[in-house]
Amino acid sequence: MDDTATSTNLGETTIDVALAERGYHVVIGEDLLASAAGRLKALLPGARFAVVSDSNVAPLHMGPLKESLEQYGLFLGSAVVAPGEASKSFPVLAKLCETLLDLGVERGDCVIALGGGVVGDLAGFAASILRRGVRVVQVPTSLLAQVDSAIGGKTGIDTSQGKNLIGTFHQPNLVLADVDVLSTLSEREFRAGYAEVAKYGLLGDAPFFVWLEQNWQGVFADETGKRRHAVETSARAKVGIVVADEREESGTRALLNLGHTFGHALEAFAGYSDRLLHGEAISIGMRLAFTYSVERDLCTPDDAARAEAHFKAVGLPTDIATIPGDKPTPGELLRLMAQDKKVAGGKLVLVLVKGIGQAFIEHDVSMEQMTDFLKRECARR
Ligand code: NAD
């Protein structure tokens, strides 16, 4: 464990995303927004900036960023979308692109995505197609966005067929993660983002999972250094995976989808609504991935029990039965899972585990096997 866990003078941490001409830095620190413009001017000389946010985040955090950009004469204006997954849609994307053009965004300018994963994915996508591609700086404000979605250049929107089925790879020029802004996040959203933090331990870093088992309360309570340590360790893990497999070609990047094939199906079933947040769906999905791995004799029941116990301890859901309202049938879930981008030749491709910290890609999951499993899980109370 590095010493950031206990240090009180944390300063700034810079993680290098070494992708040659598409390389950039992830900067993690406190109070970064009010001084952002100087950094941006030095990084992108000549560019002006349009800020995209949502109507929850804008009133809380746009002010210091806007003032900073105005001081340098670099502020083009802002576009504010409705909060929530529903904004990752063609109609909102179209309107956003037109607003950015109306603001005068030119080829050499830059879009700033100030918000959670929804704003990051949507604004990143808009930037990638506007004038055949303008630059984007990600300023993630949710825990999920700081540890995951703002890093790695995946952008996109949803359709009725499923999540993130339309999108691009468009690496940002900078990721500016100000951990101070997490203090305004609701506890439920923080907890949902924490599912992705735990995911890094479960997929490839067993010592980090042990640290989380021992320190999660400090991460939630923002005890000195603990929240920062969790954000940094997760961001480093994400960067490592993105650098190893930028466009999800070798399979390494697909490991980030631990729990996501199940989770995305559950989210689609719940209508991408407050009924089930992304992180909550992923939490149930990861528990299902562990249980399924045990059924296939890949993982010990003890490791699966530890993962489940940790989710329960932090208050994350682990069962399909806990989704409020009507429940999916096994057939519905399987149909939604079959929309997954990883489906190949009619077979499901799943991220499974050989234990805590040992995820791998399984290409041989038959629909029949999965139907039996889902029947049992849908009946589980
Ligand atoms: P989100 O963007 O909807 O944010 C969650 C909620 O918190 C929203 O209501 C938002 O307005 C609010 N919020 C955000 N920051 C806040 C702050 N500091 N204070 C107060 N409220 C704040 O959702 P999310 O969980 O951040 O992201 C989920 C999205 O990310 C999904 O669409 C998912 O598909 C996507 N995602 C993308 C990637 C990727 O690699 N591109 C990876 C993982 C997830």
Side-chain angles (χ1 to χ4, degrees):
M1 219 41 59
D2 70 34
D3 58 6
T4 54
T6 48
S7 164
T8 46
N9 182 12
L10 299 169
E12 253 178 51
T13 301
T14 300
I15 306 171
D16 186 25
V17 186
L19 291 173
E21 70 281 1
R22 289 182 305 286
Y24 54 97
H25 287 162
V26 176
V27 178
I28 302 170
E30 282 94 19
D31 197 20
L32 298 177
L33 297 190
S35 58
R39 188 192 299 269
L40 293 170
K41 188 178 162 73
L43 180 72
L44 303 173
R48 298 165 306 158
F49 297 84
V51 183
V52 179
S53 192
D54 74 25
S55 57
N56 286 338
V57 176
L60 293 167
H61 301 296
M62 179 123 47
L65 180 61
K66 179 175 177 242
E67 277 162 35
S68 167
L69 290 167
E70 279 173 344
Q71 270 171 14
Y72 283 78
L74 298 176
F75 185 62
L76 274 175
S78 61
V80 176
V81 300
E85 189 70 28
S87 282
K88 279 177 57 175
S89 69
F90 271 121
V92 178
L93 174 73
K95 178 133 195 311
L96 175 60
C97 287
E98 288 180 357
T99 305
L100 291 170
L101 291 171
D102 284 343
L103 290 175
V105 176
E106 294 174 0
R107 194 72 203 279
D109 293 330
C110 180
V111 170
I112 297 179
L114 173 73
V118 164
V119 165
D121 281 10
L122 174 71
F125 190 21
S128 75
I129 56 176
L130 200 74
R131 298 190 187 276
R132 299 205 170 83
V134 301
R135 292 172 292 195
V136 64
V137 164
Q138 294 280 352
V139 183
T141 63
S142 68
L143 179 59
L144 179 139
Q146 294 197 349
V147 302
D148 191 353
S149 61
I151 303 165
K154 277 194 186 179
T155 80
I157 56 170
D158 309 327
T159 67
S160 57
Q161 286 79 7
K163 258 180 84 87
N164 301 326
L165 294 179
I166 310 285
T168 56
F169 282 98
H170 189 57
Q171 296 294 347
N173 287 73
L174 174 71
V175 178
L176 210 50
D178 182 339
V179 291
D180 280 346
V181 304
L182 300 179
S183 62
T184 57
L185 207 57
S186 73
E187 198 176 326
R188 185 178 176 200
E189 289 290 356
F190 188 88
R191 189 180 290 122
Y194 181 86
E196 305 275 5
V197 172
K199 182 185 77 178
Y200 292 108
L202 292 172
L203 78 83
D205 188 348
F208 181 48
F209 187 73
V210 172
W211 185 86
L212 290 172
E213 286 179 311
Q214 291 162 356
N215 293 285
W216 68 268
Q217 279 146 317
V219 175
F220 275 69
D222 199 13
E223 265 171 37
T224 309
K226 289 195 174 171
R227 182 175 287 183
R228 175 83 179 260
H229 178 70
V231 170
E232 277 186 24
T233 307
S234 304
R236 272 187 212 288
K238 173 85 190 236
V239 167
I241 287 173
V242 167
V243 168
D245 183 15
E246 183 187 2
R247 296 177 74 93
E248 207 164 316
E249 285 158 349
S250 72
T252 310
R253 190 162 179 170
L255 294 176
L256 289 168
N257 286 322
L258 176 61
H260 281 55
T261 304
F262 293 112
H264 282 168
L266 294 169
E267 265 188 294
F269 170 76
Y272 305 118
S273 66
D274 278 1
R275 237 173 105 191
L276 189 68
L277 301 180
H278 177 70
E280 294 168 346
I282 295 324
S283 170
I284 300 175
M286 286 192 276
R287 204 280 296 159
L288 292 174
F290 267 84
T291 304
Y292 184 68
S293 300
V294 172
E295 287 200 6
R296 293 204 30 190
D297 280 334
L298 296 162
C299 168
T300 64
D302 280 1
D303 274 7
R306 258 178 76 199
E308 181 169 356
H310 187 58
F311 289 136
K312 287 205 157 96
V314 305
L316 279 164
T318 54
D319 279 283
I320 294 169
T322 59
I323 299 171
D326 56 331
K327 312 290 181 251
T329 64
E332 274 171 319
L333 273 187
L334 197 65
R335 185 180 57 75
L336 291 164
M337 285 171 72
Q339 285 293 338
D340 191 88
K341 290 193 289 304
K342 293 186 294 306
V343 168
K347 288 222 170 199
L348 287 171
V349 179
L350 279 187
V351 184
L352 298 180
V353 285
K354 292 181 179 151
I356 285 172
Q358 298 174 66
F360 70 101
I361 316 283
E362 173 59 279
H363 292 270
D364 190 19
V365 180
S366 78
M367 295 290 181
E368 294 74 34
Q369 229 173 16
M370 188 45 65
T371 308
D372 287 346
F373 175 69
L374 292 175
K375 276 184 188 156
R376 283 193 297 282
E377 284 297 332
C378 287
R380 183 170 143 147
R381 290 287 170 270

